[in-house]
Amino acid sequence: MLKQRIITALLLIPLVFGALFFLPIKWFALLLAGVFVLASQEWGAFVDARLRHPVSLVLCVLLGLTLMWQPVDRLWSPELAALPNGTLYLAASWWMLALLLVLRYPASAALWRHSRWLKTLFGAATLIPFFWALLALRSVNIWHDSTTGAWLLLFVMALVWAADSGAYFCGRAFGKRKLAPAVSPGKTIEGMLGGLLAAALLAGVVTWLQGADAHRTLVVLACALLAVLASVLGDLSESMFKREAGLKDSGSLLPGHGGVLDRIDSLTAALPVFLLSYLLLS
């Protein structure tokens, strides 16, 4: 298993970097749409394994309607366009609801367990804002410096990766109190705090290297911590839906890593929360 994880990671890392830094924005959006299709297929299994393709079709049609409304190369003018900005508020609303569902699980599952449409709606609220937040971050300052958004997106991803590593090591060393035992028994409060500390250190180093002033540093730190907290919720939320569907992994596309959703679950929450908080605080 470990060997498979390492091989898959070694193959994915250069692909991710290449897409971030070298693909034109329209091609990047097309690649991201492909990821969305794969993720929507896996979400379909959360809803009902027999309806995987119809659920995926519904989610893809909803995304397609937003793409017809909003050109991907006109996201900033200079403010974020109305549609992607609106999806950020949709994400904020959904993740606040998801927090309640996770905290009250398994009792909360009685509200949505048997509703295919409600679970499909949850999928739309998870994946569509993720798509637009990722694309919006990649598009920052794109007509003046095409790498600005790539570095920004990589920074947010690195925050999540650093938090995951910090949570793993602190959880193993100090973890005693369970964070959400009914959803993910392995996660601890101490691990989460270790992840927040690791992300804060990374954000502090990056802002120091950039020569940011005190206000900008505080804004970035606040956004980083909110994004990391959201990433934990994204992970827990997917675990909750997998548990209800009787699945260990969301899929088997990535050997050693599971499915696409298993790799992006933290980012589905972290990216829109980071972007929205930055827009509101800066």
Side-chain angles (χ1 to χ4, degrees), residues 43-96:
W43 195 279
F46 294 171
V47 176
D48 189 325
R50 298 165 298 179
L51 299 175
R52 177 191 295 263
H53 298 302
V55 170
S56 176
L57 179 61
V58 170
L59 294 176
C60 290
V61 167
L62 291 175
L63 177 67
L65 291 174
T66 66
L67 286 166
M68 291 174 62
W69 180 275
Q70 176 61 55
V72 298
D73 56 349
R74 299 178 187 175
L75 294 184
W76 299 90
S77 58
E79 293 80 17
L80 185 60
L83 187 144
N85 190 61
T87 66
L88 299 182
Y89 286 94
L90 169 63
S93 301
W94 157 238
W95 290 116
M96 285 189 286

Side-chain angles (χ1 to χ4, degrees), residues 244-261:
E244 278 298 307
L247 298 172
K248 182 180 182 294
D249 297 316
S250 66
S252 58
L253 183 64
L254 305 174
H257 292 263
V260 172
L261 282 173

Side-chain angles (χ1 to χ4, degrees), residues 16 67 83 90 106 118 123 148 170 187 190 216 253:
V16 170
L67 286 166
L83 187 144
L90 169 63
L118 199 53
T148 300
C170 286
K187 294 188 182 298
E190 292 82 4
R216 183 175 176 82
L253 183 64

Side-chain angles (χ1 to χ4, degrees), residues 134-205:
L134 200 159
L135 200 57
L137 284 166
R138 178 62 185 85
S139 300
V140 170
N141 202 35
I142 193 169
W143 302 118
H144 296 92
D145 182 355
S146 61
T147 65
T148 300
W151 283 113
L152 181 58
L153 191 50
L154 185 61
F155 169 65
V156 183
M157 291 178 174
L159 288 173
V160 174
W161 297 334
D164 285 345
S165 299
Y168 175 78
F169 289 111
C170 286
R172 284 180 63 88
F174 310 109
K176 293 181 179 180
R177 292 171 292 179
K178 300 298 183 181
L179 180 62
V183 175
S184 184
K187 294 188 182 298
T188 63
I189 294 175
E190 292 82 4
M192 183 186 70
L193 294 176
L196 287 170
L197 177 60
L201 289 173
L202 175 61
V205 169

